[in-house]
Amino acid sequence: MKPSLPVTLLLAAFVGLGGTAEAAQAPPAAEVVRIVDGDTIEIRGDGRIVPKGSVVRVRLLEIDTPENGACFARDATDRTADLLPPGSTVRIQRDVDLTDRYGRHLLYVWNDEGVFVNESLVRSGHAEAVLYPPNDKHWPRISRAEKSARQSGAGLWTACAGAPRTSEAPEPAAPDTPARPGLPAGPPAGIPDVDCSDLLGPVWVGPNDPHRLDRDGDGIGCDSN
């Protein structure tokens, strides 16, 4: 018996609704366990990209949401929770790098309604588009979404205009700032954004602080860990 609709037409319909052929061809690959923040979640794998039954932390690729305590951070986390409610199933896709140095899985995620979550968060102004080479599979699409969000003033592009990136603007370092304490070095620039929840304790970030972990400008990030 022939199917009522050819598979190719079903795939085309899914892609037309914002999915991709890669995501459409695979059954749901994971279950959402927890929302950590706007760009970080935890999922339980089914043995494909993520080992079956394993709960892993996922950093959504090509996006960056405000750090906890910063303007629009809570809105971004709430929006991610709306798109990926715990217990729901998702389709996931990897890029060149599967994990980063912190053990996080670097993934693109589609929810059980076929919404490409990485892109959706950028398009609604809940996240910025940020490229972390070599993981650039959907960069043209996600960067276009940011351009649209900027032009329309969506989300953080209006709410946070002129606002500091954290809830407290760091004070300039005093001339007699002490030498670096005996702390491990903080995460370097050029990797998907790291939050304090990804680290085991305080780290030395110095004056640069590429991941905005230092609230009080003393060179030490994640003091409260």
Short mmCIF file of all heavy atoms in Angstrom, two decimals, residues 128-166:
data_model
loop_
_atom_site.label_atom_id
_atom_site.label_comp_id
_atom_site.label_asym_id
_atom_site.label_seq_id
_atom_site.Cartn_x
_atom_site.Cartn_y
_atom_site.Cartn_z
N GLU A 128 21.62 36.95 21.64
CA GLU A 128 22.44 37.49 20.57
C GLU A 128 23.00 36.34 19.75
O GLU A 128 23.18 35.24 20.26
CB GLU A 128 23.59 38.32 21.13
CG GLU A 128 23.17 39.51 21.96
CD GLU A 128 24.37 40.25 22.52
OE1 GLU A 128 25.28 40.58 21.74
OE2 GLU A 128 24.42 40.46 23.75
N ALA A 129 23.30 36.61 18.48
CA ALA A 129 23.97 35.63 17.64
C ALA A 129 25.48 35.76 17.85
O ALA A 129 26.03 36.85 17.72
CB ALA A 129 23.62 35.87 16.17
N VAL A 130 26.13 34.67 18.20
CA VAL A 130 27.58 34.68 18.44
C VAL A 130 28.19 33.45 17.79
O VAL A 130 27.75 32.33 18.04
CB VAL A 130 27.90 34.68 19.95
CG1 VAL A 130 29.41 34.72 20.16
CG2 VAL A 130 27.25 35.87 20.64
N LEU A 131 29.20 33.66 16.94
CA LEU A 131 29.82 32.56 16.23
C LEU A 131 31.04 32.05 16.99
O LEU A 131 31.90 32.84 17.40
CB LEU A 131 30.26 33.02 14.83
CG LEU A 131 30.93 31.96 13.95
CD1 LEU A 131 29.97 30.81 13.68
CD2 LEU A 131 31.40 32.59 12.65
N TYR A 132 31.09 30.72 17.20
CA TYR A 132 32.23 30.09 17.85
C TYR A 132 32.81 29.06 16.87
O TYR A 132 32.41 27.90 16.86
CB TYR A 132 31.81 29.40 19.15
CG TYR A 132 31.22 30.34 20.17
CD1 TYR A 132 29.85 30.39 20.39
CD2 TYR A 132 32.05 31.18 20.91
CE1 TYR A 132 29.32 31.26 21.33
CE2 TYR A 132 31.51 32.05 21.85
CZ TYR A 132 30.15 32.08 22.05
OH TYR A 132 29.62 32.93 22.97
N PRO A 133 33.74 29.49 15.98
CA PRO A 133 34.32 28.57 14.99
C PRO A 133 34.91 27.35 15.68
O PRO A 133 35.39 27.46 16.82
CB PRO A 133 35.41 29.41 14.33
CG PRO A 133 35.00 30.83 14.58
CD PRO A 133 34.35 30.82 15.93
N PRO A 134 34.89 26.19 15.03
CA PRO A 134 34.42 25.96 13.66
C PRO A 134 32.95 25.59 13.55
O PRO A 134 32.52 25.07 12.54
CB PRO A 134 35.30 24.78 13.24
CG PRO A 134 35.41 23.97 14.51
CD PRO A 134 35.52 24.99 15.62
N ASN A 135 32.17 25.83 14.59
CA ASN A 135 30.77 25.40 14.61
C ASN A 135 29.88 26.47 13.98
O ASN A 135 29.39 27.36 14.68
CB ASN A 135 30.35 25.11 16.06
CG ASN A 135 31.28 24.11 16.71
OD1 ASN A 135 31.38 22.97 16.28
ND2 ASN A 135 31.99 24.54 17.75
N ASP A 136 29.67 26.37 12.66
CA ASP A 136 28.98 27.43 11.93
C ASP A 136 27.89 26.93 11.00
O ASP A 136 27.49 27.61 10.06
CB ASP A 136 30.00 28.24 11.12
CG ASP A 136 30.76 27.37 10.11
OD1 ASP A 136 30.50 26.15 10.04
OD2 ASP A 136 31.61 27.92 9.39
N LYS A 137 27.38 25.73 11.26
CA LYS A 137 26.42 25.08 10.36
C LYS A 137 25.22 25.97 10.03
O LYS A 137 24.76 26.03 8.89
CB LYS A 137 25.95 23.75 10.96
CG LYS A 137 25.07 22.93 10.03
CD LYS A 137 24.55 21.69 10.74
CE LYS A 137 25.64 20.72 11.10
NZ LYS A 137 26.21 20.04 9.90
N HIS A 138 24.68 26.67 11.03
CA HIS A 138 23.47 27.47 10.81
C HIS A 138 23.73 28.97 10.96
O HIS A 138 22.80 29.74 11.20
CB HIS A 138 22.37 27.03 11.78
CG HIS A 138 21.93 25.61 11.57
ND1 HIS A 138 21.18 25.22 10.48
CD2 HIS A 138 22.17 24.47 12.29
CE1 HIS A 138 20.95 23.91 10.55
NE2 HIS A 138 21.54 23.44 11.64
N TRP A 139 25.00 29.39 10.85
CA TRP A 139 25.33 30.78 11.09
C TRP A 139 24.60 31.76 10.17
O TRP A 139 24.09 32.78 10.64
CB TRP A 139 26.83 31.00 11.02
CG TRP A 139 27.21 32.42 11.27
CD1 TRP A 139 27.78 33.30 10.40
CD2 TRP A 139 27.00 33.15 12.49
NE1 TRP A 139 27.96 34.53 10.99
CE2 TRP A 139 27.48 34.46 12.28
CE3 TRP A 139 26.45 32.82 13.73
CZ2 TRP A 139 27.44 35.44 13.25
CZ3 TRP A 139 26.41 33.80 14.71
CH2 TRP A 139 26.89 35.09 14.47
N PRO A 140 24.51 31.53 8.85
CA PRO A 140 23.78 32.49 8.01
C PRO A 140 22.34 32.71 8.49
O PRO A 140 21.86 33.84 8.55
CB PRO A 140 23.82 31.84 6.62
CG PRO A 140 25.06 31.01 6.64
CD PRO A 140 25.12 30.45 8.04
N ARG A 141 21.68 31.63 8.85
CA ARG A 141 20.29 31.72 9.29
C ARG A 141 20.17 32.45 10.63
O ARG A 141 19.30 33.32 10.81
CB ARG A 141 19.73 30.30 9.40
CG ARG A 141 18.30 30.21 9.83
CD ARG A 141 17.83 28.77 9.69
NE ARG A 141 16.48 28.61 10.20
CZ ARG A 141 15.82 27.46 10.15
NH1 ARG A 141 16.38 26.39 9.61
NH2 ARG A 141 14.60 27.37 10.64
N ILE A 142 21.04 32.12 11.58
CA ILE A 142 20.95 32.73 12.90
C ILE A 142 21.38 34.19 12.88
O ILE A 142 20.79 35.04 13.55
CB ILE A 142 21.75 31.90 13.92
CG1 ILE A 142 21.03 30.57 14.16
CG2 ILE A 142 21.94 32.65 15.24
CD1 ILE A 142 21.76 29.61 15.08
N SER A 143 22.39 34.51 12.08
CA SER A 143 22.82 35.92 11.99
C SER A 143 21.75 36.76 11.31
O SER A 143 21.56 37.94 11.67
CB SER A 143 24.15 36.02 11.26
OG SER A 143 24.07 35.49 9.95
N ARG A 144 21.02 36.20 10.36
CA ARG A 144 19.90 36.95 9.75
C ARG A 144 18.81 37.20 10.79
O ARG A 144 18.17 38.27 10.79
CB ARG A 144 19.33 36.18 8.56
CG ARG A 144 20.18 36.23 7.30
CD ARG A 144 19.40 35.78 6.08
NE ARG A 144 18.87 34.44 6.21
CZ ARG A 144 19.52 33.34 5.81
NH1 ARG A 144 20.73 33.44 5.27
NH2 ARG A 144 18.96 32.15 5.95
N ALA A 145 18.59 36.22 11.66
CA ALA A 145 17.57 36.39 12.71
C ALA A 145 17.95 37.55 13.64
O ALA A 145 17.08 38.32 14.06
CB ALA A 145 17.41 35.10 13.51
N GLU A 146 19.25 37.68 13.96
CA GLU A 146 19.66 38.80 14.81
C GLU A 146 19.45 40.14 14.09
O GLU A 146 19.02 41.12 14.70
CB GLU A 146 21.11 38.68 15.25
CG GLU A 146 21.49 39.83 16.19
CD GLU A 146 22.93 39.81 16.62
OE1 GLU A 146 23.25 39.07 17.57
OE2 GLU A 146 23.74 40.54 16.01
N LYS A 147 19.77 40.19 12.82
CA LYS A 147 19.58 41.43 12.06
C LYS A 147 18.12 41.86 12.11
O LYS A 147 17.81 43.04 12.32
CB LYS A 147 20.02 41.23 10.61
CG LYS A 147 19.90 42.49 9.75
CD LYS A 147 20.42 42.25 8.34
CE LYS A 147 20.28 43.51 7.49
NZ LYS A 147 20.78 43.28 6.11
N SER A 148 17.22 40.90 11.95
CA SER A 148 15.79 41.20 12.02
C SER A 148 15.39 41.68 13.40
O SER A 148 14.61 42.64 13.55
CB SER A 148 14.99 39.94 11.65
OG SER A 148 13.61 40.14 11.80
N ALA A 149 15.91 41.03 14.46
CA ALA A 149 15.58 41.43 15.83
C ALA A 149 16.10 42.83 16.14
O ALA A 149 15.41 43.63 16.78
CB ALA A 149 16.16 40.41 16.82
N ARG A 150 17.30 43.14 15.69
CA ARG A 150 17.86 44.48 15.90
C ARG A 150 17.01 45.54 15.22
O ARG A 150 16.70 46.60 15.80
CB ARG A 150 19.29 44.55 15.37
CG ARG A 150 20.35 43.91 16.26
CD ARG A 150 21.70 44.00 15.57
NE ARG A 150 22.80 43.50 16.36
CZ ARG A 150 23.55 44.23 17.17
NH1 ARG A 150 23.30 45.53 17.31
NH2 ARG A 150 24.54 43.70 17.85
N GLN A 151 16.63 45.27 13.97
CA GLN A 151 15.86 46.25 13.20
C GLN A 151 14.50 46.53 13.82
O GLN A 151 14.00 47.66 13.78
CB GLN A 151 15.71 45.78 11.76
CG GLN A 151 17.01 45.80 10.97
CD GLN A 151 16.87 45.20 9.58
OE1 GLN A 151 15.93 44.45 9.29
NE2 GLN A 151 17.81 45.51 8.70
N SER A 152 13.90 45.49 14.41
CA SER A 152 12.57 45.66 15.00
C SER A 152 12.64 46.07 16.47
O SER A 152 11.61 46.35 17.08
CB SER A 152 11.77 44.37 14.86
OG SER A 152 12.36 43.31 15.60
N GLY A 153 13.84 46.09 17.06
CA GLY A 153 13.97 46.43 18.47
C GLY A 153 13.39 45.38 19.39
O GLY A 153 12.89 45.69 20.48
N ALA A 154 13.45 44.12 18.97
CA ALA A 154 12.84 43.04 19.75
C ALA A 154 13.62 42.77 21.03
O ALA A 154 14.85 42.85 21.06
CB ALA A 154 12.78 41.77 18.91
N GLY A 155 12.91 42.45 22.09
CA GLY A 155 13.50 41.96 23.32
C GLY A 155 14.60 42.83 23.89
O GLY A 155 14.41 44.04 24.12
N LEU A 156 15.76 42.25 24.10
CA LEU A 156 16.86 42.96 24.75
C LEU A 156 17.37 44.15 23.94
O LEU A 156 18.00 45.05 24.51
CB LEU A 156 18.00 41.99 25.08
CG LEU A 156 18.73 41.27 23.94
CD1 LEU A 156 19.82 42.10 23.31
CD2 LEU A 156 19.31 39.95 24.45
N TRP A 157 17.11 44.18 22.64
CA TRP A 157 17.62 45.28 21.81
C TRP A 157 16.92 46.60 22.15
O TRP A 157 17.47 47.68 21.88
CB TRP A 157 17.48 44.96 20.33
CG TRP A 157 18.24 43.72 19.97
CD1 TRP A 157 17.73 42.52 19.60
CD2 TRP A 157 19.66 43.55 20.02
NE1 TRP A 157 18.74 41.61 19.40
CE2 TRP A 157 19.94 42.22 19.64
CE3 TRP A 157 20.73 44.38 20.33
CZ2 TRP A 157 21.23 41.71 19.57
CZ3 TRP A 157 22.02 43.87 20.26
CH2 TRP A 157 22.26 42.55 19.89
N THR A 158 15.74 46.53 22.75
CA THR A 158 15.07 47.74 23.25
C THR A 158 15.16 47.81 24.77
O THR A 158 15.51 48.84 25.34
CB THR A 158 13.59 47.75 22.83
OG1 THR A 158 13.50 47.87 21.41
CG2 THR A 158 12.87 48.94 23.46
N ALA A 159 14.87 46.69 25.43
CA ALA A 159 14.82 46.68 26.90
C ALA A 159 16.16 47.01 27.52
O ALA A 159 16.23 47.59 28.61
CB ALA A 159 14.33 45.32 27.40
N CYS A 160 17.25 46.63 26.85
CA CYS A 160 18.57 46.78 27.46
C CYS A 160 19.43 47.81 26.76
O CYS A 160 20.66 47.81 26.91
CB CYS A 160 19.29 45.43 27.46
SG CYS A 160 18.36 44.12 28.30
N ALA A 161 18.81 48.68 25.98
CA ALA A 161 19.59 49.71 25.29
C ALA A 161 20.31 50.58 26.31
O ALA A 161 19.69 51.21 27.17
CB ALA A 161 18.67 50.57 24.43
N GLY A 162 21.62 50.58 26.27
CA GLY A 162 22.41 51.40 27.20
C GLY A 162 22.58 50.78 28.57
O GLY A 162 23.24 51.37 29.43
N ALA A 163 22.02 49.60 28.80
CA ALA A 163 22.13 48.98 30.12
C ALA A 163 23.45 48.23 30.23
O ALA A 163 23.98 47.73 29.24
CB ALA A 163 20.98 47.99 30.34
N PRO A 164 24.03 48.14 31.43
CA PRO A 164 25.26 47.36 31.60
C PRO A 164 24.99 45.89 31.38
O PRO A 164 23.87 45.42 31.54
CB PRO A 164 25.66 47.64 33.05
CG PRO A 164 24.38 48.02 33.72
CD PRO A 164 23.57 48.75 32.68
N ARG A 165 26.02 45.13 31.04
CA ARG A 165 25.86 43.71 30.78
C ARG A 165 25.59 42.92 32.05
O ARG A 165 25.09 41.81 31.99
CB ARG A 165 27.13 43.16 30.11
CG ARG A 165 27.39 43.75 28.75
CD ARG A 165 26.42 43.22 27.74
NE ARG A 165 26.47 41.79 27.64
CZ ARG A 165 26.26 41.11 26.52
NH1 ARG A 165 25.99 41.74 25.41
NH2 ARG A 165 26.30 39.81 26.50
N THR A 166 25.91 43.46 33.21
CA THR A 166 25.58 42.80 34.47
C THR A 166 24.79 43.77 35.32
O THR A 166 24.71 44.96 35.03
CB THR A 166 26.85 42.37 35.24
OG1 THR A 166 27.60 43.54 35.56
CG2 THR A 166 27.69 41.44 34.40
#
